[in-house]
Amino acid sequence: MGSIEKITAGIRPAYKDSMNEAAERLDKLIKPIGSLGKLEGLAVKISGITGKQNNEFNKKVIIIMASDNGVVEEGVSAAPKEVTSLMTLSMLKGVSGVCVLSKHAGADIRVVDIGVGSDLDYPGLINRKIRKSTSNIAIGPAMSREEAILAIETGIETVSQLVEDGYSLFGTGEMGIGNTSTSSAVAMAFLGCSSEEVVGKGVGLTEEGYANKKSVIDRAIRVNKPDPEDPIDVISKVGGFDIAGMAGCFLGAAYHRVPIVIDGFISAVAALTAYRINPLVKDFMIPSHLSEEPGYRIVINEMGLKPMLDLNMRLGEGSGCPLAFNLIEAAEVIISDMATFEEATIKDDFLIDMRK
Amino acid sequence: MGSIEKITAGIRPAYKDSMNEAAERLDKLIKPIGSLGKLEGLAVKISGITGKQNNEFNKKVIIIMASDNGVVEEGVSAAPKEVTSLMTLSMLKGVSGVCVLSKHAGADIRVVDIGVGSDLDYPGLINRKIRKSTSNIAIGPAMSREEAILAIETGIETVSQLVEDGYSLFGTGEMGIGNTSTSSAVAMAFLGCSSEEVVGKGVGLTEEGYANKKSVIDRAIRVNKPDPEDPIDVISKVGGFDIAGMAGCFLGAAYHRVPIVIDGFISAVAALTAYRINPLVKDFMIPSHLSEEPGYRIVINEMGLKPMLDLNMRLGEGSGCPLAFNLIEAAEVIISDMATFEEATIKDDFLIDMRK
């Protein structure tokens, strides 16, 4: 049995008793029942993950899977593929969007080169390069089945190592020019929806470029015929190393029972891939923001998840995760630090007087 | 000239040059233009408020206006009016929702008794009680015009004092059983919309109670005939001390050029009141979350503002403000700490190589 099967078979459902206990405590706090909305749901969900009512996240991390995509040669992206390498280095130097937001949130970043097209060497980079870029999905599969499995295992192993290092709250991010195209193809393969529904204009595409992007993705589906019942077939034929790696992160997080945050569209497609491998992972995933990419809504709805932030963001990189980390911590202080009605009235003579 | 007129006349528009400079810098950062959505808009807006491109908020505060409402005797609320006093004390003790969230955000809280129905005395309470509760708006005006002016001035003076104390980022909150009813009446008076559109079920009202709430608010409008062209007439006839006090906070913040966050429905109605007194205050207001109260959307749309958080919250207290503070700080680290394309390429020989 390979590592994916072992990990997948080892994922257990959320702890329902802990969730019930958390919900009971929330209903006793000095507030109208349910009035803290999704923050209450978050506290309950996290109790289901960890089995504890109160949780503190002292070490938080966002894993960034960086990889190039062969489909870029079809002109689906306005940015040249060299930008993948450039931006990966910017992340290692701490000056990209996800970096400054993570630092503000007290979270660390780990950048994994899982398939960047150039030779990268920079302090802190985790070199797990499977190959320099996937192949062009418009003419054949992105990667072999073995490579897809290796990429998923890379994600699982990255999470395992970080759990060992003491991290207890995870986020997912990516860097890879062309990965909205591969993500769109994966979403279409799983959900049977059209390129018209899923594909966004990406960054700075003209009307002509946009039409081309949709037709290239349609072709990728026609040429490869991914089997929606076989997630590894889908990811190997029309996905990317980054998406596969992130899918592995979701599986690994569920196995280790640590909450893991979904960023935008690409991250959500990776989450869907993991969800199709084992639906139980959903209980460990936390959505962050409503991405501007049109496919995001479709994918997140498919999993029955609801984003918490509405910021018109479409940067990717994992940039929604540090913002969600703050909301997760807010949910935890609510369940840990707010008084119950009983505490508020019994502990203070004055308050008892007020109730007479 | 009274204090309101003086403050109102002293409000200056946003600094357009600073906004343009901020927008220019954002467009040079290593990200697709506009891809950080509302966070970019926030950084621009704050530059317009302070006149500076980079802003740090070392002292943050949420002002909570606590007051009772005479209309509670009509049975518009499922909670007894004593809860106002109880919850005000809980805030002073730091155990209510807004308190634990503010502590998490590194923000302080100031609780102002502007009209609580009982004699409160607790360390930290700012006693600016105008009267013990407003009068019942279903049978006559909530307060005299003089009292409304005093309540607005109380808000202005509270902000002025806190600015003097070094606070540079503000939030608004309230505590007052019955204040969704007064807020609904104020929104209806200003916007001419119906109770059906604006009034929510509040907390735990039955269908019968909900019908009664709407009919009481309709009666308040009929009996008092508030003049929509005269914001002080509206607030004195169908408002509350808390709403008037918060409206004063918005005016004061605009005068002192400090950003001030809108919480939920009641806070938004106070913002609308200030906006009707002087539309320039809009440039200093920052929305936080999409409240579950039905009137919220109508009021926030009227001002052309868009909430950033979608959490199904309906607690009030100012609980959305500390969550928005984190997003404001996130916007500031983006404009301050992200590299520009020029910085990323010029400062590092390796990156220049990558671009060849």
Side-chain angles (χ1 to χ4, degrees):
Chain A
M1 193 162 74
S3 155
I4 296 179
E5 286 82 0
K6 215 160 64 190
I7 290 292
T8 301
I11 296 172
R12 297 280 163 267
Y15 298 124
K16 295 291 174 204
D17 287 354
S18 304
M19 292 175 79
N20 291 337
E21 280 163 34
E24 270 170 38
R25 166 145 181 109
L26 287 164
D27 284 351
K28 288 178 190 159
L29 300 179
I30 49 168
K31 59 170 185 55
I33 286 181
S35 59
L36 281 166
K38 291 180 190 171
L39 294 183
E40 297 191 31
L42 208 43
V44 169
K45 183 164 193 167
I46 288 169
S47 290
I49 295 172
T50 65
K52 293 185 293 184
Q53 187 176 274
N54 302 329
N55 294 279
E56 256 187 286
F57 302 105
N58 295 320
K59 288 185 80 176
K60 298 164 274 188
V61 66
I62 295 164
I63 300 170
I64 292 153
M65 293 287 173
S67 175
D68 271 301
N69 298 285
V71 70
V72 167
E73 67 195 39
E74 301 291 334
V76 290
S77 169
K81 71 172 198 292
E82 286 70 24
V83 171
T84 301
S85 303
L86 275 166
M87 285 304 302
T88 302
L89 289 167
S90 295
M91 286 179 173
L92 292 161
K93 294 199 270 166
V95 296
S96 83
V98 70
C99 301
V100 304
L101 292 173
S102 294
K103 192 175 166 203
H104 171 60
D108 294 328
I109 279 188
R110 289 292 179 277
V111 184
V112 182
D113 175 359
I114 194 166
V116 175
S118 63
D119 291 310
L120 290 184
D121 184 18
Y122 203 92
L125 179 66
I126 300 171
N127 184 356
R128 296 294 302 263
K129 202 191 292 277
I130 290 171
R131 188 183 1 134
K132 280 188 185 171
S133 176
T134 53
S135 307
N136 181 355
I137 61 173
I139 54 178
M143 64 191 92
S144 69
R145 191 171 179 96
E146 290 66 37
E147 285 175 325
I149 290 170
L150 195 57
I152 294 171
E153 286 173 353
T154 299
I156 293 172
E157 287 160 20
T158 304
V159 168
S160 295
Q161 182 59 54
L162 290 166
V163 166
E164 211 166 285
D165 296 346
Y167 288 95
S168 57
L169 180 56
F170 285 70
T172 50
E174 39 55 51
M175 176 45 60
I177 298 303
N179 65 6
T180 58
S181 292
T182 51
S183 297
S184 297
V186 171
M188 285 160 62
F190 278 132
L191 306 177
C193 46
S194 71
S195 58
E196 198 58 42
E197 293 168 276
V198 173
V199 179
K201 273 194 150 181
V203 175
L205 273 188
T206 58
E207 272 308 319
E208 206 182 337
Y210 177 47
N212 173 59
K213 183 176 175 182
K214 285 184 285 190
S215 107
V216 167
I217 298 167
D218 284 333
R219 200 174 344 138
I221 299 286
R222 268 199 321 274
V223 167
N224 289 291
K225 297 184 184 57
D227 175 5
E229 303 302 316
D230 181 353
I232 293 173
D233 190 64
V234 170
I235 211 80
S236 65
K237 284 180 172 163
V238 297
F241 297 136
D242 48 357
I243 305 174
M246 291 163 93
C249 291
F250 287 108
L251 292 169
Y255 177 80
H256 290 289
R257 305 196 76 87
V258 287
I260 184 162
V261 175
I262 301 169
D263 178 28
F265 177 48
I266 296 143
S267 177
V269 164
L272 178 63
T273 306
Y275 175 68
R276 286 293 170 102
I277 292 174
N278 187 340
L280 287 176
V281 298
K282 180 187 154 183
D283 289 345
F284 302 85
M285 293 172 176
I286 296 165
S288 55
H289 72 104
L290 174 61
S291 160
E292 285 256 284
E293 277 286 328
Y296 175 84
R297 262 178 217 268
I298 300 173
V299 171
I300 209 84
N301 284 343
E302 173 71 16
M303 296 186 282
L305 297 170
K306 283 184 199 311
M308 304 183 286
L309 292 147
D310 182 7
L311 294 169
N312 303 131
M313 280 166 58
R314 53 180 168 79
L315 175 63
E317 296 189 7
S319 54
C321 299
L323 304 175
F325 284 178
N326 183 62
L327 297 175
I328 291 167
E329 292 176 323
E332 288 302 322
V333 301
I334 286 165
I335 195 163
S336 299
D337 299 347
M338 270 182 76
T340 61
F341 279 104
E342 204 182 12
E343 287 161 1
T345 50
I346 286 180
K347 283 191 181 160
D348 193 301
D349 290 343
F350 190 72
L351 276 176
I352 293 174
D353 288 343
M354 296 297 307
R355 282 211 137 176
K356 276 175 190 164
Chain B
M1 193 162 75
S3 156
I4 297 180
E5 285 83 358
K6 214 159 66 189
I7 289 292
T8 301
I11 296 172
R12 296 280 163 269
Y15 298 125
K16 295 291 173 203
D17 287 352
S18 304
M19 293 175 78
N20 290 339
E21 279 164 34
E24 269 171 39
R25 165 145 182 111
L26 287 164
D27 284 351
K28 288 180 191 158
L29 300 179
I30 48 168
K31 59 167 186 56
I33 286 181
S35 59
L36 281 166
K38 291 180 190 171
L39 294 184
E40 298 191 31
L42 208 44
V44 169
K45 184 164 191 167
I46 288 169
S47 290
I49 294 172
T50 65
K52 293 185 293 184
Q53 187 176 275
N54 303 329
N55 295 277
E56 255 189 287
F57 301 105
N58 295 319
K59 289 185 78 176
K60 299 163 274 190
V61 65
I62 296 164
I63 300 169
I64 293 153
M65 292 286 172
S67 175
D68 272 300
N69 297 285
V71 70
V72 167
E73 67 195 39
E74 301 291 333
V76 289
S77 168
K81 72 173 197 290
E82 286 70 23
V83 171
T84 301
S85 303
L86 275 165
M87 285 303 304
T88 302
L89 289 167
S90 295
M91 287 179 174
L92 292 161
K93 293 199 271 166
V95 295
S96 84
V98 69
C99 301
V100 304
L101 292 173
S102 295
K103 194 175 165 200
H104 170 59
D108 295 325
I109 279 188
R110 289 292 179 276
V111 184
V112 181
D113 174 359
I114 194 167
V116 176
S118 64
D119 291 309
L120 291 183
D121 184 18
Y122 203 92
L125 179 67
I126 300 171
N127 184 356
R128 296 293 302 264
K129 203 192 290 278
I130 290 171
R131 190 187 353 138
K132 281 187 183 172
S133 177
T134 54
S135 306
N136 181 354
I137 60 172
I139 53 177
M143 64 191 91
S144 68
R145 191 171 179 97
E146 289 66 36
E147 285 174 325
I149 290 170
L150 196 56
I152 294 171
E153 287 173 351
T154 299
I156 294 172
E157 287 160 19
T158 304
V159 168
S160 295
Q161 181 59 54
L162 290 167
V163 166
E164 210 166 287
D165 295 347
Y167 288 95
S168 56
L169 180 57
F170 284 71
T172 50
E174 38 57 48
M175 175 45 59
I177 299 302
N179 63 8
T180 58
S181 293
T182 50
S183 297
S184 298
V186 171
M188 286 161 62
F190 278 131
L191 307 177
C193 47
S194 72
S195 57
E196 199 58 42
E197 294 169 275
V198 173
V199 179
K201 272 195 149 180
V203 177
L205 273 188
T206 59
E207 273 307 320
E208 207 183 335
Y210 177 47
N212 173 60
K213 184 176 174 181
K214 286 184 284 189
S215 105
V216 166
I217 297 166
D218 284 333
R219 200 172 348 133
I221 299 287
R222 269 199 321 275
V223 166
N224 288 292
K225 298 182 185 58
D227 174 6
E229 303 301 317
D230 180 355
I232 293 173
D233 189 64
V234 170
I235 210 78
S236 65
K237 283 180 173 164
V238 298
F241 296 136
D242 48 358
I243 305 173
M246 292 163 92
C249 291
F250 286 107
L251 292 169
Y255 177 80
H256 290 289
R257 305 196 77 87
V258 287
I260 183 163
V261 175
I262 300 170
D263 178 26
F265 178 49
I266 296 143
S267 177
V269 164
L272 178 62
T273 306
Y275 176 67
R276 286 294 170 100
I277 292 173
N278 186 340
L280 289 176
V281 297
K282 181 187 152 181
D283 289 344
F284 302 84
M285 294 172 176
I286 296 165
S288 55
H289 72 104
L290 175 60
S291 162
E292 285 257 283
E293 277 286 327
Y296 174 84
R297 262 178 216 269
I298 301 173
V299 171
I300 209 83
N301 284 344
E302 173 71 18
M303 295 185 283
L305 297 170
K306 285 185 198 310
M308 303 184 285
L309 293 146
D310 181 8
L311 294 168
N312 303 131
M313 280 167 57
R314 52 179 168 82
L315 175 64
E317 295 189 8
S319 53
C321 298
L323 304 175
F325 284 178
N326 183 61
L327 297 175
I328 292 167
E329 291 175 324
E332 289 302 323
V333 300
I334 286 166
I335 196 164
S336 299
D337 298 348
M338 271 181 76
T340 60
F341 279 103
E342 204 183 11
E343 287 161 0
T345 50
I346 287 179
K347 283 190 181 164
D348 193 299
D349 290 342
F350 190 72
L351 276 175
I352 293 173
D353 288 342
M354 296 296 307
R355 284 211 135 176
K356 277 176 191 163

